[in-house]
Amino acid sequence: MSDVAVVGGGIIGLSIAWRLVQRGADVTVLDGGDEGAWHVAAGMLAPGGESEHEDPALIGLMERSAALWPAYAKELEVDVGYDDTGTLSLALTADDLAERARMWTRQQLPLLRPTELRDLEPALSPRVRAGVFAPRETQVDPRKVVSALRERLGARIVAKRVEDLSDVDAPQVVVAAGCGTAALTGLPIRPVKGQVLRLRGEPGLLRHVLDAPEVYVVPRADGEVVVGATQEERTDRLVTAGGVHDLLRAALELVPGLADFELTETTVGHRPGTPDNAPLLGRLDDRVIVAAGHFRNGILLAPVTASLIAGLVLGETDPMPAGFSPRRF
Amino acid sequence: MSDVAVVGGGIIGLSIAWRLVQRGADVTVLDGGDEGAWHVAAGMLAPGGESEHEDPALIGLMERSAALWPAYAKELEVDVGYDDTGTLSLALTADDLAERARMWTRQQLPLLRPTELRDLEPALSPRVRAGVFAPRETQVDPRKVVSALRERLGARIVAKRVEDLSDVDAPQVVVAAGCGTAALTGLPIRPVKGQVLRLRGEPGLLRHVLDAPEVYVVPRADGEVVVGATQEERTDRLVTAGGVHDLLRAALELVPGLADFELTETTVGHRPGTPDNAPLLGRLDDRVIVAAGHFRNGILLAPVTASLIAGLVLGETDPMPAGFSPRRF
């Protein structure tokens, strides 16, 4: 029996466990074996880039976590693909531009003309109408992060599917089971399906993360390019003709040169969404703490979630930031 | 040592071997293990549906083989997906219509209006402009055909990659190695890359094979739908973003309801093309006979090829049809 059991072997559970281990706690991770949303996630670290999140508490949490990422990536001691080249946020139509201009003004990012954008990223389509360079919006490779965390935690990760929290033999339990958290706790977390593609070609066609209204395109140093994502209120795991078509169409409209890239993966994940799409972070009762419901921001929020939840487990008196109580609904 | 060695375990080689076995010959098939073009082929049996083939000799051969298919499928004794519901040949644009109208006139098929086409196939897009019903253009499932032939031939199929015909220990050798025939014989056969998709959904959305200028859509009874095919003068085996996009775009334009179908396979095959894209059928020397270069028509031409080549091996005096000599280039 460990002092603390973390239920969930995704990026949130592993990050919490690792932080606890670093701080001297005796931790076991119970990993149900499913690949979580991290497996398909592109790993955009975009604290200001999601226009729908205008809740100041969530923006504050995302900014705090984004600031932690460079040191967090370094602590993992292996290459996890942390890349701070930055993001081009783009508009292709007049409607896109009207919608995005509000966000860009709030972020105080100067509008770039198409020629300026193509100086930064020559493979961009001439159809791109306007955009901004967001230097603070970086990326990491979630698969490399999870692999590094698994390496660090080693035998502390145990293959076990938890069906009921009463089966967990530990005095403190952290539930970080993503979409699975709903069944374990009764909390309102719903799966939001996302289809994501991976392409592969000559490295160097693209340098920046590209964020457009209908698609994002995330180039890795090794020539992999992640293209995502559909957002569907569905629980199935089907890669569909329509989903793949829409992603490819939008990506090729943005970067025509991707047409010759190999299509290496078509995948589906489920983001753990909550009624306000902000995470559930905090104590449920004397024994159980929840860290779940990170929706589209699980990768970005992993470092701050790990620090906050580790502090809570270890009985520190620092208050949790307001607005994320699992009891708020 | 067998009397006859067939080099190539694809649909042509297996069909020839099986016909020879039925006629009492002692045959071994040497199978190099690569999946041939049959593995990705949709199995459209369209003797009149390829507008580019206006060579009367080839059209005659295709019609002769199409007439053999019903009995051939029956001889295999298991379900090989032979389906004679027929094909709708379609035009979406004025250009399509102008081009296809010539072919339809030659085939004496009456032009159908969009409403008539949708009476036959309700899932067709309203964008379809005109078309014809081609009742003689049927389909078969090439994977089921190959599986049935393998079953019939059993231990007569030996796993062996032939690099040189002098390594083949038989007095008579039939080379039916598809694209690999070029390296074995020096004959001018080139690989023509095709990307093909397989979708899956509720059976019954479509009943007919759909043949449009940019795409074909072949529905199977079990809900599989084959979507093909790119035609690229390339030797690589990459499934590309551009290839998959173009196929999905054209298929969804034709049948919007396919958007919800699962994308289950993205595959690449290489059609064995010849300088005139007609097959090479006949004797190369006293020992070696060739049956290769069937380009887009390998499935359709398998029964007639099997009968003709078996006759040649067995020394029958019936002449081969003119125009297919492997020595013609």
Side-chain angles (χ1 to χ4, degrees), chain B residues 152-196:
Chain B
R152 292 278 161 288
L153 288 161
R156 293 187 180 90
I157 304 173
V158 173
K160 179 183 162 81
R161 174 175 293 277
V162 175
E163 305 284 356
D164 193 305
L165 294 182
S166 64
D167 298 337
V168 178
D169 180 22
Q172 290 253 61
V173 179
V174 177
V175 182
C179 292
T181 303
L184 292 171
T185 62
L187 290 169
I189 295 181
R190 73 189 194 288
V192 181
K193 177 181 169 182
Q195 302 188 46
V196 179

Side-chain angles (χ1 to χ4, degrees), chain A:
Chain A
M1 189 181 78
S2 295
D3 295 339
V4 187
V6 176
V7 179
I11 196 166
I12 298 293
L14 295 173
S15 294
I16 293 167
W18 186 48
R19 187 61 82 219
L20 283 165
V21 167
Q22 287 176 308
R23 299 188 59 184
D26 172 29
V27 180
T28 299
V29 177
L30 305 176
D31 180 1
D34 295 330
E35 279 168 342
W38 62 268
H39 185 71
V40 309
M44 294 164 73
L45 305 177
E50 302 276 3
S51 62
E52 64 262 53
H53 295 306
E54 305 213 345
D55 172 46
L58 182 55
I59 289 184
L61 194 72
M62 297 201 297
E63 285 179 346
R64 193 169 151 191
S65 203
L68 294 174
W69 254 108
Y72 188 77
K74 215 163 185 178
E75 277 178 63
L76 288 166
E77 289 179 12
V78 295
D79 173 28
V80 293
Y82 182 78
D83 181 337
D84 61 2
T85 306
T87 294
L88 298 179
S89 178
L90 302 167
L92 274 85
T93 67
D95 282 350
D96 289 355
L97 182 54
E99 186 195 322
R100 297 220 143 186
R102 287 186 297 120
M103 181 171 71
W104 295 336
T105 303
R106 174 164 60 74
Q107 295 170 339
Q108 299 181 294
L109 296 170
L111 200 68
L112 301 178
R113 292 191 308 268
T115 53
E116 293 172 307
L117 290 164
R118 279 203 299 283
D119 284 348
L120 290 168
E121 200 62 85
L124 275 183
S125 162
R127 298 189 50 189
V128 173
R129 197 178 175 105
V132 297
F133 172 53
R136 294 171 53 240
E137 302 194 354
T138 60
Q139 65 154 300
V140 73
D141 185 335
R143 295 180 181 179
K144 289 184 175 168
V145 174
V146 165
S147 169
L149 287 165
R150 284 177 172 167
E151 184 75 23
R152 292 277 161 288
L153 288 162
R156 292 187 182 90
I157 304 173
V158 174
K160 179 182 163 77
R161 173 175 293 275
V162 176
E163 305 284 356
D164 192 308
L165 295 183
S166 64
D167 298 338
V168 178
D169 181 23
Q172 291 254 59
V173 179
V174 177
V175 182
C179 293
T181 303
L184 292 171
T185 63
L187 290 168
I189 296 181
R190 73 189 194 287
V192 181
K193 178 180 170 182
Q195 302 189 46
V196 179
L197 312 178
R198 278 171 167 75
L199 315 182
R200 183 168 290 280
E202 278 298 304
L205 177 73
L206 294 170
R207 292 191 306 258
H208 301 80
V209 172
L210 305 179
D211 181 21
E214 293 192 358
V215 73
Y216 55 74
V217 174
V218 180
R220 312 272 192 226
D222 65 356
E224 179 177 271
V225 175
V226 185
V227 175
T230 65
Q231 192 159 321
E232 307 165 64
E233 298 282 343
R234 299 173 63 99
T235 56
D236 68 77
R237 299 196 60 85
L238 297 186
V239 173
T240 63
V244 173
H245 170 263
D246 291 350
L247 292 172
L248 288 175
R249 181 187 49 70
L252 296 177
E253 194 172 78
L254 209 58
V255 184
L258 288 174
D260 292 331
F261 273 44
E262 186 178 5
L263 176 63
T264 54
E265 277 189 42
T266 57
T267 53
V268 169
H270 289 91
R271 310 167 186 90
T274 64
D276 60 5
N277 287 334
L280 307 181
L281 305 174
R283 195 169 277 287
L284 265 194
D285 59 36
D286 287 349
R287 180 169 171 260
V288 178
I289 288 168
V290 173
H294 290 73
F295 194 45
R296 299 175 59 170
N297 299 300
I299 312 303
L300 171 59
L301 292 175
V304 77
T305 299
S307 297
L308 289 170
I309 299 296
L312 195 62
V313 169
L314 298 172
E316 288 171 2
T317 52
D318 290 356
M320 293 288 285
F324 306 109
S325 164
R327 296 270 184 222
R328 70 184 180 275
F329 303 110

Side-chain angles (χ1 to χ4, degrees), chain B residues 84-89 107 109 112 132-138 208:
Chain B
D84 62 1
T85 306
T87 293
L88 298 180
S89 179
Q107 295 170 338
L109 296 171
L112 300 179
V132 297
F133 172 54
R136 292 174 53 240
E137 302 195 354
T138 59
H208 300 81

